[in-house]
């Protein structure tokens, strides 16, 4: 199986976290996002333990909440003692309304408006991850007005190509994010930060991309960041207290992709960081990581009802579902691979090659092509695995389709964490 929370019961039904997905679909309706809360907590614990073991207290993971943002996930992160990464005032609002201790929130983004900056300070966001010179000045000005010293990390681009999809690669020098090390802009940003009295510089950040399976890109990024830090120590006398290596560890979406041992990866990266620090004469900084996808992706599954089955002789077959790009735009965006099955007929022979299509008026509204399923009938349940990350958070109301409900599973129970959008919700702001 793709992940150890997937199984099949005696009725031939798909089970997720040992609960019958057919029963859940009957109880809560379709389309339905299902989240395995125990798996989310298990992943948090793996990252926390691995970072503490490798680097001691003060090194910890931040959950990159753009992967899945809703009040309940922030409550879980609070409970698990995680930090969080937030990228918008909407995420800041949701987290702080959920009671998350905002001192443990890190505010990202390549275009924070003055209003965003003030809002984040009002809500007590602990650290700003600053993207460039003019933002730094805006943060200093807002902090001065509030009479505070704002803790800031600087986002730098180490110039790494992590060999992932171009749209999720972010650490190259021509990226829209951060200040380039090789262009000299990073060094000048540090000097600016040190010269402003309402800024408390606490270190450097980089994020090289997403869905990365090897550790070598992380090691290269860490080497470059530490080399930069050593250079700044020499020229400006400043030594970074924290180094944030961003997120990006891969997740298994199909059987062909490898299973990642996150703890082993972190200890591999740690060994390299310690060696590099020793050779550069640096203290080992506190190391932060910002996993998003690898915390929630395989803790999620989406279940749909099959509707129209279309066979085009000599061409291909379509199975249409009651959701699609509105709840999962990732295939439409970048042909993201997914594993699909019929949740109510897990033991039936898979002999029907098909394209799983959404219900929107777009030919590109597909969930996956080249899928092998038992020949579906109207009313069968189609399950798509590994949808916990970048599905609900990327969902839209295109075609005025409401977002699905989200149910969390915990220790054999289930509960609604996000209600299904009603017609009234969809038309709420229309005048
Ligand atoms: C997207 C993002 C992450 C999370 O990436 P994953 O691949 O989901 O782990 C972390 N940090 C930053 C700055 C990001 O933009």
């Amino acid at each position: 199986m793709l992940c150890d929370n997937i199984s099949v019961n005696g009725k031939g039904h798909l089970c997720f976290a040992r609960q019958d997905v057919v029963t859940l679909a009957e109880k809560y309706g379709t389309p339905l996002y299902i989240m395995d809360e125990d798996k989310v907590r298990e992943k948090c614990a793996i990252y926390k333990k691995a970072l503490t073991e490798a680097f001691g207290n003060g090194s910890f993971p931040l959950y990159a909440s753009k992967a899945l943002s809703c009040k309940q996930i922030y409550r879980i992160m609070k409970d698990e003692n995680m930090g969080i990464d937030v990228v918008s005032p909407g995420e800041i609002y949701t987290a702080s309304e959920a009671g998350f201790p905002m001192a443990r929130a890190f505010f990202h983004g390549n275009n924070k408006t003055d209003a965003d900056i003030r809002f984040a300070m009002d809500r007590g966001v602990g650290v700003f991850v600053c993207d460039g010179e003019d933002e730094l000045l805006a943060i200093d000005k807002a902090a001065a007005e509030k009479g505070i010293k704002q803790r800031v990390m600087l986002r730098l681009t180490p110039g790494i190509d992590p060999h992932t999809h171009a749209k999720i690669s972010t650490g190259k020098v021509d990226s829209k994010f951060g200040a380039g090390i090789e262009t000299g802009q990073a060094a000048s940003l540090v000097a600016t930060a040190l010269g402003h009295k309402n800024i408390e510089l606490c270190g450097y950040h980089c994020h090289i991309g997403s869905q990365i399976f090897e550790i070598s890109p992380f090691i290269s990024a860490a080497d470059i960041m530490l080399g930069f830090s050593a250079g700044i120590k020499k020229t400006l006398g400043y030594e970074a207290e924290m180094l944030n290596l961003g997120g990006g560890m891969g997740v298994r979406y199909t059987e062909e992709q490898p299973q990642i041992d996150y703890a082993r990866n972190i200890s591999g990266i740690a060994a390299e960081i310690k060696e590099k620090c020793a050779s550069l004469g640096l203290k080992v900084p506190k190391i932060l990581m910002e996993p998003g996808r690898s915390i929630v992706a395989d803790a999620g599954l989406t279940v749909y009802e099959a509707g129209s089955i279309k066979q085009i002789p000599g061409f291909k077959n379509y199975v249409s579902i009651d959701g699609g790009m509105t709840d999962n735009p990732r295939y439409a965006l970048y042909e993201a691979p997914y594993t699909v099955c019929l949740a109510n007929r897990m033991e039936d022979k898979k002999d029907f090659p098909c394209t799983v299509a959404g219900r929107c008026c777009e030919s590109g509204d597909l969930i996956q092509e080249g899928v092998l399923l038992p020949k579906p009938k109207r009313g069968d349940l189609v399950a798509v695995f590994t949808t916990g990350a970048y599905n609900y958070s990327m969902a839209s109301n295109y075609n005025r389709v409401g977002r699905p409900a989200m149910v969390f599973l915990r220790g054999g129970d289930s509960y609604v964490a996000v209600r299904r959008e009603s017609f009234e919700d969809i038309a709420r702001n229309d005048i």
Side-chain angles (χ1 to χ4, degrees):
M1 283 294 182
L2 210 50
C3 184
D4 60 9
N5 55 2
I6 299 166
S7 57
V8 177
N9 67 15
K11 296 177 187 162
H13 291 177
L14 172 66
C15 292
F16 196 50
R18 291 175 308 283
Q19 299 196 40
D20 188 320
V21 171
V22 176
T23 310
L24 291 166
E26 279 163 5
K27 179 167 181 192
Y28 296 104
T30 60
L32 183 68
Y33 294 118
I34 305 176
M35 289 300 299
D36 173 0
E37 180 174 338
D38 300 320
K39 176 60 78 183
V40 173
R41 290 178 183 271
E42 176 191 317
K43 291 291 194 59
C44 292
I46 289 172
Y47 270 98
K48 253 186 332 192
K49 181 161 177 279
L51 282 170
T52 312
E53 276 179 8
F55 301 105
N57 290 330
S59 293
F60 56 93
L62 309 169
Y63 165 60
S65 66
K66 69 173 196 258
L68 170 62
S69 176
C70 64
K71 286 184 182 171
Q72 185 58 7
I73 203 83
Y74 292 115
R75 293 185 194 110
I76 294 169
M77 293 305 145
K78 176 184 176 190
D79 204 36
E80 289 296 323
N81 244 314
M82 296 280 285
I84 55 168
D85 147 356
V86 288
V87 295
S88 71
E91 287 183 358
I92 291 169
Y93 172 82
T94 309
S96 73
E97 290 295 305
F100 189 84
M102 297 305 283
R104 289 210 308 266
F106 285 56
F107 185 20
H108 281 273
N110 65 309
N111 188 20
K112 304 176 187 74
T113 67
D114 291 352
D116 295 349
I117 291 168
R118 283 193 299 269
F119 181 69
M121 287 177 183
D122 288 345
R123 293 277 172 152
V125 165
V127 178
F128 281 54
V129 182
C130 174
D131 208 81
E133 199 92 17
D134 54 324
E135 182 189 314
L136 192 59
L137 302 181
I139 295 171
D140 182 65
K141 184 160 169 277
E145 279 163 18
K146 275 188 84 71
I148 60 167
K149 213 170 158 105
Q150 180 60 56
R151 279 169 71 74
V152 166
M153 297 190 92
L154 303 177
R155 177 158 184 173
L156 311 180
T157 40
I160 295 281
D161 182 354
H163 303 294
T164 184
H165 194 290
K167 284 186 187 159
I168 50 176
S169 166
T170 49
K172 295 197 285 183
V173 70
D174 63 353
S175 164
K176 75 167 179 172
F177 298 104
I181 290 179
E182 65 189 82
T183 59
Q185 286 161 310
S188 113
L189 193 58
V190 177
T192 308
L194 294 173
H196 283 78
K197 64 179 191 314
N198 294 93
I199 300 285
E200 181 190 336
L201 185 60
C202 55
Y204 308 126
H205 169 277
C206 66
H207 170 71
I208 54 177
S210 197
Q211 190 58 354
I212 301 166
F213 285 97
E214 296 108 55
I215 64 167
S216 56
F218 294 101
I219 288 178
S220 314
D223 279 353
I224 293 168
M225 298 291 283
L226 291 167
F228 173 79
S229 185
I232 292 292
K233 188 183 171 191
K234 258 197 215 107
T235 52
L236 300 175
Y238 168 76
E239 185 164 355
E241 157 205 345
M242 295 198 286
L243 175 62
N244 183 335
L245 293 174
M249 285 204 202
V251 165
R252 191 170 190 225
Y253 285 88
T254 61
E255 302 267 351
E256 297 82 65
Q257 292 174 330
Q259 192 79 260
I260 291 196
D261 183 338
Y262 301 99
R264 217 180 88 200
N265 278 4
I266 291 169
S267 81
I269 295 166
E272 177 72 18
I273 287 177
K274 286 175 186 170
E275 215 180 287
K276 187 80 182 177
C277 286
S279 77
L280 291 168
L282 289 175
K283 287 195 301 266
V284 179
K286 289 170 183 149
I287 300 291
L288 310 186
M289 284 189 176
E290 292 171 333
R293 187 190 307 276
S294 53
I295 299 285
V296 288
D298 54 16
L301 172 151
T302 309
V303 59
Y304 305 94
E305 190 174 297
S308 130
I309 317 295
K310 180 170 291 181
Q311 291 179 264
I312 310 173
F315 292 91
K316 57 179 170 181
N317 306 320
Y318 285 97
V319 177
S320 291
I321 53 172
D322 55 355
M325 65 187 288
T326 46
D327 60 80
N328 180 1
R330 293 188 67 253
Y331 190 81
L333 273 176
Y334 33 69
E335 294 181 359
Y338 280 105
T339 303
V340 184
C341 70
L342 286 191
N344 56 325
R345 294 169 53 195
M346 293 300 283
E347 312 285 15
D348 290 7
K349 192 158 178 261
K350 296 177 184 173
D351 53 5
F352 187 72
C354 58
T355 292
V356 178
R359 60 179 298 168
C360 287
C361 304
E362 290 285 331
S363 298
D365 174 19
L366 306 176
I367 289 292
Q368 202 61 212
E369 295 177 277
V371 176
L372 259 190
L373 295 176
K375 184 167 180 213
K377 299 181 301 294
R378 198 176 177 86
D380 278 340
L381 294 174
V382 176
V384 179
F385 296 109
T386 335
T387 58
Y390 306 111
N391 273 231
Y392 175 68
S393 64
M394 284 185 161
S396 76
N397 288 129
Y398 181 52
N399 286 184
R400 291 241 143 172
V401 174
R403 290 177 180 78
M406 192 186 307
V407 160
F408 276 59
L409 310 182
R410 171 123 211 240
D413 290 329
S414 62
Y415 64 95
V416 176
V418 180
R419 273 194 297 269
R420 186 175 300 285
E421 281 182 348
S422 65
F423 298 139
E424 292 78 11
D425 290 332
I426 290 169
R428 189 177 46 214
N429 295 325
D430 298 5
I431 291 168

